[in-house]
DNA sequence: CGTCTTTGACCCGCGC
DNA sequence: GCGCGGGTCAAAGACG
């Protein structure tokens, strides 16, 4: 990877030199542990003291993380001890990282997940806490690989059409596929700058590597990670034409921690969400009878007004402007993947 | 039989 | 130029 890995990696000694101070507080954490408490003091917030108050504001949003407007590069990453991650987890160090802790086997993220493209919700465990963040989307200085991949994807779509046409024309599908494979090795169109997909990572204390998040994934690769005994798995969303990928690996520092990195934006509805929505349409249950999953889903999508934060700063964790209930706030800025992932974090309060 | 995982091969960018 | 490492491909096998 690029040298930026190292850059971010080095941040890890910034604020959390003592691992025990890290945001993981098994089974207790929520997003507020790092943001609201920063306002109210105590707990993990203590560890945030010394952070640039602008960088870690209780009103800081993931949006800000992504666009880099409010966070100095790597600041939060340092705050949350990126050393929990293999340096490469961050790619170039521009990634939004959220920690959702304490997922045991059997737990899944599905109730809290949704999908992008407008109805975005996201994978998150019920016990979530923001752990670290840095932006990725705004910076266009990654290695050429990403550009290449994006170009490749674009070209692939054209080629798929081409292949379909060839098939229609009677050319053997296998041959067409081979043609495509050859094309993949030829130089890409020049001069095309493609925007990178934002990546969004979260850490989960989990016994299982691949957490259920409501989407269907196909594993397409696994690689040994340098300096880590744990392999990294590569998954792709199985939905047609959905570009979303995710990488799953265990922290080499803390094997109980699973790091999931999402990349891209779902172009379809989450199967889980679709099911829930269908159930709602067919037989809308009274609130009391609604499934926990669905209620959680709705809860997670409630809009949050700043005033609410101020009034309930002990409960509300992270302000995420833009991630508001689709019912009330149809205008959601396009934050790519983040849009898919973050709404689940937009409101989480403890009883 | 369709779907998914496994796994070795391959490609590419980067640093030396 | 070469080696390394990350990421992807795709054939083969497993599974339900």
């Amino acid at each position: 990877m690029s040298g930026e890995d190292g850059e971010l990696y080095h941040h890890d000694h910034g604020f959390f030199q003592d691992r025990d101070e890290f945001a993981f507080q098994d089974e207790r954490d929520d997003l507020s542990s790092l943001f609201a408490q920063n306002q109210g003091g105590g707990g993990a917030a203590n560890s945030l003291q010394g952070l640039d108050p602008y960088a870690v504001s209780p009103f800081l949003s993931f949006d800000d993380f992504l666009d880099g407007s409010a966070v100095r590069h790597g600041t939060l990453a340092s705050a949350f001890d990126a050393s929990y991650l293999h340096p490469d987890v961050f790619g170039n160090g521009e990634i939004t990282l959220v920690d959702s802790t304490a997922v045991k086997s059997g737990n899944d993220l599905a109730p809290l997940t949704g999908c992008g493209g407008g109805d975005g919700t996201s994978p998150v465990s019920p016990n979530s806490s923001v752990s670290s963040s840095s932006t990725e989307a705004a910076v266009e200085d990654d290695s050429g690989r990403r550009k290449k991949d994006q170009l490749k994807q674009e070209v692939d779509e054209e080629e798929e059409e081409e292949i379909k046409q060839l098939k229609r024309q009677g050319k053997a599908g296998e041959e067409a596929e081979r043609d495509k494979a050859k094309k993949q090795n030829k130089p890409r169109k020049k001069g095309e700058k493609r925007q990178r997909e934002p990546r969004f990572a979260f850490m989960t204390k989990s016994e299982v590597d691949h957490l259920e998040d409501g989407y269907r994934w196909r594993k397409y690769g696994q690689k040994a990670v340098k300096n880590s005994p744990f392999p990294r798995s590569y998954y792709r969303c199985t939905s047609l034409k959905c570009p979303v990928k995710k990488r799953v690996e265990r922290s080499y520092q803390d094997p109980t921690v699973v790091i999931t990195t999402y990349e891209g934006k779902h172009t379809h509805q989450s199967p889980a969400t679709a099911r829930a929505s269908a159930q709602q349409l067919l037989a809308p249950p009274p609130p009391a009878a609604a499934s926990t999953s669905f209620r959680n889903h709705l809860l997670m999508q409630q809009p949050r007004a700043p005033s609410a934060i101020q009034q309930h700063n002990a409960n509300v964790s992270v302000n995420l402007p833009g991630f508001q209930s689709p019912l009330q706030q149809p205008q959601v800025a396009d934050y790519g993947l983040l849009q898919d992932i973050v709404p689940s974090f937009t409101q989480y309060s403890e009883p």
Side-chain angles (χ1 to χ4, degrees):
Chain A
M1 276 290 199
S2 71
E4 288 169 281
D5 296 344
E7 180 193 342
L8 195 147
Y9 184 45
H10 289 145
H11 281 305
D12 61 3
H13 302 301
F15 296 94
F16 286 82
Q17 296 194 4
D18 180 353
R19 287 268 148 63
D20 295 337
E21 287 186 325
F22 185 64
F24 286 117
Q25 298 174 18
D26 306 62
E27 321 242 15
R28 306 186 265 122
D29 270 354
D30 58 37
L31 290 172
S32 62
S33 60
L34 287 171
F35 288 86
Q37 287 182 23
N38 189 40
Q39 199 174 41
N46 293 334
S47 303
L48 293 176
Q49 289 172 0
L51 274 180
D52 183 342
Y54 184 54
V56 184
S57 146
F59 307 107
L60 189 63
S61 73
F62 280 106
D63 311 4
D64 296 330
F65 294 176
L66 278 192
D67 68 22
S69 61
V71 186
R72 289 184 316 227
H73 180 74
T75 302
L76 281 177
S78 64
F80 298 110
D81 191 355
S83 67
Y84 259 76
L85 309 178
H86 186 280
D88 182 56
V89 164
F90 286 107
N92 60 2
E94 298 152 7
I95 197 162
T96 299
L97 179 61
V98 171
D99 146 30
S100 60
T101 61
V103 174
K104 305 270 189 233
S105 46
N107 285 13
D108 68 36
L109 304 173
L112 306 179
T113 64
C115 92
D119 68 337
T121 54
S122 67
V124 58
S125 94
N127 308 311
S128 307
S129 68
V130 172
S131 65
S132 174
S133 170
S134 64
T135 60
E136 166 167 334
V139 186
E140 187 61 47
D141 60 352
D142 195 11
S143 69
R145 181 179 301 128
R146 179 170 295 276
K147 290 173 191 167
K148 178 204 70 180
D149 288 345
Q150 288 170 331
L151 273 175
K152 188 173 171 181
Q153 190 182 321
E154 231 178 34
V155 172
D156 284 353
E157 286 176 11
E158 294 170 17
E159 287 169 352
E160 274 174 28
E161 279 305 312
E162 223 174 292
I163 289 170
K164 282 178 190 169
Q165 222 165 355
L166 285 172
K167 285 180 178 175
R168 270 184 246 124
Q169 291 167 1
K171 191 169 183 177
E174 204 177 324
E175 196 177 339
E177 292 286 354
R178 243 180 289 131
D179 287 352
K180 179 184 173 182
K182 282 181 195 169
K183 284 182 180 181
Q184 284 177 347
N185 293 332
K186 79 180 179 185
R188 302 293 166 199
K189 296 171 188 171
K190 285 182 180 177
E192 283 189 21
K193 276 200 171 182
R194 300 189 57 181
Q195 252 195 331
R196 71 165 39 149
E197 299 280 356
R199 278 193 263 174
F200 186 92
F202 63 95
M203 300 192 289
T204 307
K205 274 191 184 277
S206 172
E207 297 168 3
V208 294
D209 286 348
H210 190 198
L211 303 167
E212 189 59 50
D213 60 7
Y215 292 92
R216 294 180 66 204
W217 300 93
R218 171 164 301 175
K219 189 175 184 177
Y220 67 88
Q222 178 172 309
K223 288 285 284 190
V225 179
K226 194 189 170 194
N227 296 329
S228 171
F230 308 105
R232 174 184 301 144
S233 297
Y234 299 88
Y235 297 88
R236 224 193 308 265
C237 183
T238 59
S239 282
L240 205 63
K241 296 241 175 184
C242 181
V244 179
K245 296 172 199 166
K246 74 174 179 182
R247 305 188 303 194
V248 176
E249 68 185 276
R250 285 199 176 271
S251 165
Y252 76 115
Q253 293 283 356
D254 183 351
T256 67
V257 173
V258 174
I259 301 141
T260 306
T261 306
Y262 290 84
E263 179 178 336
K265 178 179 178 179
H266 288 288
T267 58
H268 58 97
Q269 194 176 21
S270 156
T273 303
R275 274 197 304 273
S277 301
Q279 283 175 4
Q280 281 291 103
L281 282 174
L282 289 173
S291 74
T292 303
S293 297
F294 194 74
R295 274 184 285 125
N296 286 344
H297 184 93
L298 291 178
L299 174 67
M300 291 298 173
Q301 298 203 22
Q302 292 307 302
R304 175 144 29 103
S307 60
I309 296 176
Q310 288 162 344
Q311 289 166 8
H312 303 100
N313 61 59
N315 291 335
V316 178
S317 50
V318 184
N319 182 27
L320 294 165
F323 299 116
Q324 293 156 324
S325 164
L327 293 174
Q328 303 184 29
Q329 192 56 262
Q331 290 212 346
V332 177
D334 186 355
Y335 293 96
L337 174 63
L338 187 61
Q339 197 176 353
D340 298 346
I341 306 295
V342 171
S344 297
F345 293 95
T346 56
Q347 189 168 33
Y348 180 73
S349 48
E350 301 218 328

